[in-house]
DNA sequence: GTTCCATCTTAACATTAAGTTTACACAAAA
DNA sequence: TTTTGTGTAAACTTAATGTTAAGATGGAAC
């Protein structure tokens, strides 16, 4: 029934926190690993490939944010869940955390109950195969928040534009035929004219203002930085 | 993996039903207990304090309705979830069931899939009520006191308005699809018209008088300052 | 029971944004 | 040069949401 115990890596410089959080999560059946600073967290993460990483924002030798950015730039950690522990309860830092590619954040002081339920919720969401955030270079595409961010600054795309970009960006470098795009984004029954795709591509290019969609004449389009 | 396995008591006089329902729910990670008539159900309930009780309406030695009424009169069972299984699909009996204090009902013949999803939905709804105050920017939402405050000054919202706002604000930035909103706020069984959500959104915007709910056309709404 | 009141829902219509098509420009290949 | 495929702006169409007001419902006060 239990697929296999999920691995959780917890990084915090306060031993008390490691212990209490670790205890509560292992009680839930998770496999717990710990790290006491940012560098150790990165090393452990690479070694263990955990399913979820809980990062304190304020840590010696790399902050949680730095760890997160570093890991997210590696292909192995695109899908790894990341939760920030933060003492800063103000919105600015919360948003910054999530923009960095975290999946959730929990404010200190920590209630073990809250943290556990957030962790469970994240795994539940994952199982539902919710759309995953796509991270390519300095572009981040978050289907949960319906946001595209370039270097942290948001760009607002309409639904079709977003879906189209998400499709292309989900497999960078791969060329998508016009047919494929149509059936994926518009649905196989819908019939639209030839220029419709072009127009949407143009709008994305315009809004992103970054040269990331390449035309492959006679074939289709691909996402590429 | 779940906080702790939820206990479910199933009461039905048909062994087949007990078995198939029990099997499907235990597969979901619930702890299953069974009773084969009304009196046994009451006894088991008092003993086990289950989180959810599934009651067949037609049972020997106390009908499901009687069991429900009896338990609801005890302080220990105010918060226990109760689902009726009923062969009577007519509206009258359904309404009567809910008035008695049941949280949901499922018509026979039972589709295990439907039942499981109803059960999950109920627990989800319950978890939502683990009521933690949401604090975003200058807005404070307290689900226990049922109060919304902006910069300390209270705003009075009606129930649905409150639940809707609470849902959105509990995950700032995340887009909630209309479907999600419906099933979380209205419940998965209820069917309401298309404009209902909009109207409630409008009222919230009006009352809060703060631009914090963003429309994502074709997708849903999100809370954002 | 009747009245009153707030909430919730619906219906009808207005408004806006999104999506599509048109028409033509342009560029590269044949 | 002609052909083919794509880029682009603007006009147009459609779909989604906003808005208002009018029932429906149910509980509380009288």
């Amino acid at each position: 029934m239990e697929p296999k115990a999920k691995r959780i890596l917890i990084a915090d410089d306060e031993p008390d926190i490691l212990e209490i959080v670790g205890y509560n999560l292992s009680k839930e059946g998770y496999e717990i690993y710990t790290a006491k600073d940012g560098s150790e967290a990165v090393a452990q993460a690479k070694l263990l490939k955990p399913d979820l990483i809980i990062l304190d924002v304020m840590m010696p030798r790399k902050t949680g944010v730095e760890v997160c950015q570093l890991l997210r730039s590696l292909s192995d950690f695109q899908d790894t869940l990341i939760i920030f522990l933060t003492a800063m309860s103000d919105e600015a830092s919360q948003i910054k955390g999530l923009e960095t590619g975290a999946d959730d954040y929990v404010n200190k002081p920590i209630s073990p109950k809250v943290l556990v339920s957030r962790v469970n919720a994240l795994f539940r969401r994952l199982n539902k195969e919710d759309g995953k955030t796509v991270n390519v270079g300095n572009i981040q595409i978050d289907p949960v928040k319906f946001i595209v961010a370039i270097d942290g600054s948001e760009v607002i795309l309409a639904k079709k534009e977003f879906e189209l970009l998400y499709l292309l960006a989900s497999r960078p470098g791969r060329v998508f035929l016009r047919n494929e795009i149509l059936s994926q984004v518009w649905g196989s029954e819908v019939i639209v004219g030839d220029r419709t795709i072009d127009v949407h591509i143009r709008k994305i290019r315009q809004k992103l203002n970054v040269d990331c969609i390449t035309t492959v004449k006679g074939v289709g389009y691909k996402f590429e930085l």
Side-chain angles (χ1 to χ4, degrees), chain A:
Chain A
M1 201 195 88
E2 298 285 275
K4 56 188 140 186
K6 300 278 188 188
R7 299 176 163 192
I8 300 181
L9 172 62
I10 312 169
D12 198 309
D13 53 338
E14 296 173 60
D16 290 347
I17 299 227
L18 287 182
E19 191 183 337
I20 195 166
V21 171
Y23 170 72
N24 281 283
L25 286 171
S26 69
K27 226 173 40 178
E28 292 291 303
Y30 297 108
E31 257 183 64
I32 305 301
Y33 304 88
T34 58
K36 62 182 183 304
D37 63 47
S39 299
E40 196 179 319
V42 173
Q44 290 272 61
K46 287 180 181 171
L47 197 64
L48 297 164
K49 301 276 169 56
D51 301 287
L52 166 69
I53 305 177
I54 299 175
L55 291 171
D56 186 24
V57 171
M58 286 310 179
M59 281 189 297
R61 308 211 298 152
K62 280 201 180 58
T63 67
V65 176
E66 287 168 333
V67 173
C68 178
Q69 286 174 325
L70 201 157
L71 292 177
R72 280 287 193 243
S73 70
L74 305 174
S75 63
D76 274 348
F77 295 95
Q78 295 306 303
D79 301 330
T80 308
L81 297 172
I82 295 182
I83 294 181
F84 278 142
L85 302 182
T86 168
M88 306 166 282
S89 63
D90 61 288
E91 251 242 323
S93 59
Q94 288 177 359
I95 287 178
K96 196 173 161 203
L98 292 177
E99 270 175 3
T100 314
D103 299 282
D104 205 348
Y105 53 82
V106 175
N107 291 322
K108 292 185 177 183
I110 295 169
S111 145
K113 212 176 134 191
V114 168
L115 183 59
V116 167
S117 78
R118 294 285 185 95
V119 169
N120 287 329
L122 277 183
F123 280 120
R124 235 179 288 131
R125 217 209 298 166
L126 190 70
N127 286 336
K128 262 193 298 183
E129 287 299 323
D130 237 331
K132 288 166 190 162
T133 300
V134 170
N135 251 288
V136 186
N138 56 343
I139 301 179
Q140 194 178 42
I141 308 171
D142 183 340
V144 173
K145 297 184 145 199
F146 213 83
I147 279 175
V148 175
I150 301 182
D151 291 325
S153 66
E154 291 181 13
V155 178
I156 295 177
L157 296 187
K159 192 181 169 203
K160 284 269 192 291
E161 294 159 16
F162 188 92
E163 289 173 347
L164 176 48
L165 175 62
Y166 187 71
L167 174 68
L168 296 179
S170 64
R171 296 174 137 272
R174 151 160 190 192
V175 179
F176 287 85
L177 311 182
R178 284 166 168 266
N179 283 338
E180 292 181 303
I181 294 176
L182 280 181
S183 69
Q184 295 280 326
V185 177
W186 273 263
S188 41
E189 332 83 50
V190 186
I191 299 167
V192 289
D194 252 16
R195 303 269 63 71
T196 303
I197 293 180
D198 310 6
V199 172
H200 281 91
I201 292 282
R202 161 160 171 69
K203 282 187 185 154
I204 294 171
R205 283 170 169 162
Q206 215 171 223
K207 285 184 179 179
L208 294 196
N209 199 30
V210 174
D211 190 24
C212 61
I213 297 178
T214 308
T215 303
V216 182
K217 229 175 165 178
V219 187
Y221 296 91
K222 66 178 170 181
F223 184 94
E224 209 177 36
L225 280 176

